[in-house]
Amino acid sequence: MTDCLFCKMVSGEIKPDTVYEDDEVLAFRDINPQAPTHVLVVPKQHVATINDLDAGTAGVVGRMLLAAAEVARQEGFSEQGYRTVMNCNEHGGQTVFHIHLHLLGGRIMGWPPG
Ligand code: 5GP
Ligand code: ZN
């Protein structure tokens, strides 16, 4: 997807502040952090929304969670805990249409989310 912001990060056209990378996912710091640590974990393959996952692509979501847990360890808050979020479409608050897992850590999170 040539006009997708996160695909441009995966391809290296735009250089994010990368904290983790493997063959299937890339993780980088959110430009507008909502917690002391706010990282986005994205699949290298373009999938627009959770609704577009299928049996062939759904496995990458597990890899995204594994990456989030690894970044939480790196950042030093895996035992205190953290929040992971995936927003879908308008009511979910999705603004970038390449699926991503938000990893938020370093403070106590509220519930329910807004
Ligand atoms: P969504 O609202 O789709 O769940 O999350 C999109 C996230 O992407 C937001 O938290 C927003 O701050 C982040 N974001 C938008 N543009 C950029 C960018 O150019 N670089 C980085 N690192 N994050 C971005
Ligand atoms: Zn994309």
Side-chain angles (χ1 to χ4, degrees):
M1 287 282 289
T2 50
D3 59 348
C4 170
L5 176 65
F6 291 169
C7 281
K8 287 179 181 168
M9 292 180 176
V10 168
S11 73
E13 186 180 337
I14 295 172
K15 300 240 182 294
D17 184 356
T18 298
V19 295
Y20 176 88
E21 182 171 11
D22 64 30
D23 58 325
E24 286 203 60
V25 307
L26 178 69
F28 51 87
R29 296 193 190 280
D30 196 293
I31 203 169
N32 184 24
Q34 302 300 311
T37 293
H38 186 173
V39 164
L40 301 174
V41 183
V42 309
K44 291 191 168 178
Q45 179 181 359
H46 182 86
V47 178
T49 79
I50 295 173
N51 293 337
D52 299 298
L53 287 164
D54 58 27
T57 54
V60 79
V61 178
R63 297 289 297 267
M64 291 161 70
L65 283 163
L66 277 175
E70 175 56 26
V71 174
R73 277 189 289 273
Q74 282 176 198
E75 295 283 313
F77 55 68
S78 60
E79 293 309 313
Q80 292 104 316
Y82 50 90
R83 174 73 49 81
T84 58
V85 179
M86 288 181 78
N87 297 324
C88 184
N89 280 342
E90 183 185 356
H91 282 196
Q94 185 175 8
T95 59
V96 177
F97 289 86
H98 176 133
I99 58 168
H100 47 282
L101 184 73
H102 294 260
L103 168 66
L104 300 135
R107 66 170 171 83
I108 294 173
M109 303 295 152
W111 192 265

